[in-house]
Amino acid sequence: MLVSFSNEAAVLRKKDEAMSHYVGEILDAGVNRSPSAYLNNPSAERAKYKYDVDKEMTLLKFVDDQWGPVGSFNWFATHGTSMSRTNELISGDNKGTAARLMEDWFDQKSAGRIVNVNPRRVSNIVQGPQGNHHELLELAASFKSTSGKPVTKYLSIARRVRNSLRSADRPRFVSAFCQSNCGDVSPNTLGAFCTDTGLPCDFNHSTCGGKNELCYGRGPGYPDEFESTRIIGEKQFKKAADLFNTASEKLNGKIDFRHSYLDFTQLEVTLPKQGGGSETVKTCPAAMGFGFAAGTTDGPGAFDFKQGDSTGNPFWKLVRNVLKTPSKEQKDCQQPKPILLDTGEMKQPYDWAASILPVQILKIGQMVILSVPGEFTTMAGRRLRDAVSAVFKEKVHVVIAGLTNTYSQYITTYEEYEMQRYEGASTLYGPHTLSAYIQEFTKLATAIVTGKPVEAGPQPPDLLDKQISLLPGVVVDSTPLGVKFGDVKTDVAKDSTFKKGDTVTVVFWSACPRNDLMTEGTFALVELLQGQDTWVPAFDDDDICLRFKWSRPSRLSAQSHATIEWRIPQSTASGVYRVTHFGASKNLLGSISHFTGSSSAFVVK
């Protein structure tokens, strides 16, 4: 493989593989959602940086000697919260959108079908039936909705768009859009506004008239969250494609790593004192502050919580004490955080918060990747990167891989912690959490430089057999008398013609999607007629333009519907299309049966 990055770069070889890396900026895909906390960092430190969030994307390009480019990883700091909590559909958000665009772009580019960085779908590539509008309408009229029919589970996999395009004679290209120090970075780049007045939210607390529930961030596609998701995803994709195309220098040197488990509830951390000398401080058992319950502008909380609360509220303290009253030592350790949930000391039915965390460092030539089990804020990430960079004798490029190996909420600077906004209130192990990470990652980096091993540390508990689920299993699925699974309930209108930008809606009689999650397949498919009788997959539920919505007519009913909505992209080729649904039903004996059905054909012009 090969990996690439900008400014300076190099490559490393292992057998028939090589890597290079490249770096670039995206200026408009993230804003700081807790600027009042960021401003509490020292002014001299803030003056070193042009922005209050990191704008840099680092891309690794993997190149195989035989196959050429086979993948890329990139790291860029922005939350996957372009979709707010009002969205009830499963979504990969802006990172997933970017990855889909990148993989489509490369597949089509490698097949010689495109030359720019605007990925097109198969409907632009495959030739549909030719003719004028009247002829297309006549052709579409000959294809009525199909009755639901049983199929094997593999049909959905075979009909998936990317599977039908996949080349059998080369490895599949994989592009990962990874997270970095995104703790205080929001993709809702227009800012946070009050839903009742339209005015900006309170700067320090992100409230509207004292209430957090009305303060929401707005993405660039406001008020359409799907459009915001597409825009932020496309920005990341376009920068990644640009870096991918220009990456040429290679990473040289050894591959090395260190990994250790640490008990973060009782780490001793040595800090320098002003005027000389040092002092020893400790981390704390995990706890969540009142500001945590206020949520963020990407997803506000409820009740009377607010960000920046450093005192708490007597009523909620009484509620807290029913669950667990924090000890005096814990309160003192977590200051100035008022404890809402003393999760580190709550053990039933199992630990409410992790105590043993993994820390890991990877060195690939002159590139260093820090695998952190949480969400570092912008300045916290900068401090960690700087501390690790200083350990290495040669010049290295350090990236933070956020939310890796496990999850332990947020990590802020000491100064941001004092402000107790959402991120500070969610920094579990007290005000010295970041200092503990810097100390321990510095040890790992030193071990790589000196070639020494590190202790494995205490193993985290295995809780797999203790997991509790409150979600009942599927009992049975059914349809009305005379109706089959996969039958169309609400079809497109007869002789329908749609324009680009229109939404096509078809409702099918369906079954609970939890019977089969269609992991390698698809629940929804838009097909394009090729020639006179061949249907070619054009869009599936990997595409942001296609939405699959499942519902029951009533809560206790065994009957259910699948509504498939296709918002026709502007890039869609004219032609005859239909909508197809795949699903799986469960009978009273517990057997799973797969089914499919298609709508009547229609014309897109």
Side-chain angles (χ1 to χ4, degrees), residues 465-520:
D465 60 347
K466 297 182 179 180
Q467 297 303 299
I468 296 172
S469 175
L470 301 179
L471 183 66
V474 181
V475 178
V476 67
D477 296 292
S478 70
T479 58
L481 219 55
V483 173
K484 299 175 183 176
F485 291 108
D487 280 0
V488 174
K489 182 177 184 291
T490 305
D491 205 351
V492 294
K494 184 180 179 181
D495 298 330
S496 290
T497 297
F498 296 93
K499 302 187 300 294
K500 292 156 192 179
D502 289 346
T503 297
V504 179
T505 302
V506 182
V507 182
F508 294 86
W509 288 101
S510 190
C512 182
R514 287 193 284 125
N515 292 321
D516 186 337
L517 300 181
M518 303 291 185
T519 306
E520 297 297 326

Side-chain angles (χ1 to χ4, degrees), residues 38 40-51 378-384 386 413-416 434 438:
Y38 181 87
N40 205 45
N41 291 308
S43 57
E45 182 181 33
R46 287 186 281 109
K48 293 173 12 183
Y49 304 98
K50 187 175 180 180
Y51 305 107
T378 299
M379 194 64 85
R382 289 168 175 170
R383 290 185 189 179
L384 178 61
D386 288 348
T413 66
Y414 183 88
E415 295 82 1
E416 290 165 350
L434 173 60
I438 290 174

Side-chain angles (χ1 to χ4, degrees), residues 259-262 444 453-458:
H259 178 287
S260 184
Y261 287 106
L262 298 166
L444 295 183
V454 295
E455 293 184 7

Side-chain angles (χ1 to χ4, degrees), residues 262-266 285-286 344 347 351 353-358 428-429 458 460-461:
L262 298 166
D263 186 345
F264 258 75
T265 65
Q266 49 186 358
K347 306 294 184 181
D351 290 1
S355 57
I356 299 170
L357 302 179
L428 294 181
Y429 308 104

Side-chain angles (χ1 to χ4, degrees), residues 31-76:
V31 295
N32 199 304
R33 69 186 188 189
S34 291
S36 60
Y38 181 87
L39 289 173
N40 205 45
N41 291 308
S43 57
E45 182 181 33
R46 287 186 281 109
K48 293 173 12 183
Y49 304 98
K50 187 175 180 180
Y51 305 107
D52 60 0
V53 297
D54 282 347
K55 304 286 189 178
E56 184 178 272
M57 173 183 280
T58 297
L59 180 127
L60 253 59
K61 178 179 179 181
F62 297 85
V63 180
D64 184 272
D65 277 358
Q66 178 181 358
W67 300 109
V70 292
S72 68
F73 281 23
N74 69 72
W75 290 266
F76 178 73

Side-chain angles (χ1 to χ4, degrees), residues 104-117:
D104 285 350
W105 166 76
F106 180 84
D107 288 344
Q108 294 163 25
K109 177 187 178 191
S110 63
R113 291 161 173 154
I114 61 173
V115 293
N116 56 27
V117 292

Side-chain angles (χ1 to χ4, degrees), residues 187-247:
N188 295 310
T189 53
L190 298 185
F193 296 87
C194 298
T195 56
D196 55 345
T197 65
L199 298 174
C201 305
D202 171 77
F203 182 76
N204 290 314
H205 302 289
S206 294
T207 54
C208 299
K211 295 183 178 295
N212 64 74
E213 297 97 324
L214 301 178
C215 178
Y216 273 92
R218 294 179 181 177
Y222 175 83
D224 188 337
E225 293 182 351
F226 285 86
E227 182 64 7
S228 292
T229 302
R230 185 197 63 78
I231 292 171
I232 297 297
E234 190 173 75
K235 289 178 185 295
Q236 293 176 77
F237 150 67
K238 285 186 174 180
K239 177 54 65 176
D242 178 54
L243 297 178
F244 185 90
N245 282 334
T246 52

